[in-house]
Amino acid sequence: MAKNRTSVFSWVWLLIGILYLGLPLLSTLGYSLSPEVRAGNPISFSAYFDVLSDPKFSANLWFSIGAGLLTTVISTMLLVPTTYWVQLRMPYLRSTLELMTLLPIVVPVIVQVFGLLALYRSTFLVNGSGGLYILMIGAYIIWAFPYTYR
């Protein structure tokens, strides 16, 4: 009897979760398919065609994909050897590494980027071409540190 109640309870919570996450997505989709918020307008994909035909969209999309891949590769290259070394050779540093992995969660990325900007304002990282992007990728590597480590 208790098992049946548990399964019904689980299904109810699953349905609530699907509604909570799905309704905003469906509302956004419905709004984007209607050119104006008025009754009687036909459904149109024109907003999607406009966005996909914009050259700035593809440039920003490829930058985002590249920044994400670069962040993933650098994080993995830094953390796999570090974690291996700490787990096998320096177990006394595990608690220190755990504390370090929690710090980026406490300090948001935007605060980190502004801190890095203030710190590196007069260096080539900010004044050179693409310097802000390097700082942003660095901040995201730091921010992803806890998740990559775990």
Side-chain angles (χ1 to χ4, degrees):
M1 186 74 161
K3 186 175 182 174
N4 189 20
R5 192 176 113 206
T6 303
S7 65
V8 170
F9 189 68
S10 298
W11 282 107
V12 167
W13 279 110
L14 179 64
L15 182 63
I16 290 171
I18 289 172
L19 289 174
Y20 179 76
L21 297 172
L23 283 178
L25 291 174
L26 287 174
S27 299
T28 303
L29 178 67
Y31 183 78
S32 69
L33 292 176
S34 177
E36 295 178 13
V37 186
R38 282 189 296 166
N41 280 341
I43 291 177
S44 169
F45 290 96
S46 63
Y48 292 103
F49 292 129
D50 291 344
V51 168
L52 292 175
S53 65
D54 186 6
K56 291 180 184 179
F57 174 77
S58 62
N60 289 326
L61 177 66
W62 285 113
F63 170 75
S64 296
I65 290 171
L69 287 173
L70 188 62
T71 300
T72 303
V73 168
I74 292 173
S75 294
T76 303
M77 288 173 52
L78 286 173
L79 280 172
V80 168
T82 302
T83 305
Y84 174 79
W85 192 259
V86 168
Q87 293 293 332
L88 296 180
R89 305 285 184 187
M90 299 180 191
Y92 56 89
L93 288 178
R94 286 182 191 160
S95 60
T96 305
L97 190 59
E98 290 282 335
L99 179 66
M100 287 174 59
T101 62
L102 294 176
L103 286 176
I105 295 173
V106 176
V107 181
V109 175
I110 299 301
V111 174
Q112 290 175 0
V113 169
F114 282 118
L116 290 170
L117 281 174
L119 184 64
Y120 294 112
R121 187 170 308 276
S122 63
T123 65
F124 76 95
L125 285 176
V126 174
N127 295 329
S129 84
L132 293 175
Y133 298 124
I134 293 170
L135 287 176
M136 184 185 72
I137 289 172
Y140 273 106
I141 289 170
I142 293 169
W143 185 71
F145 183 58
Y147 307 107
T148 308
Y149 176 74
R150 298 200 188 292

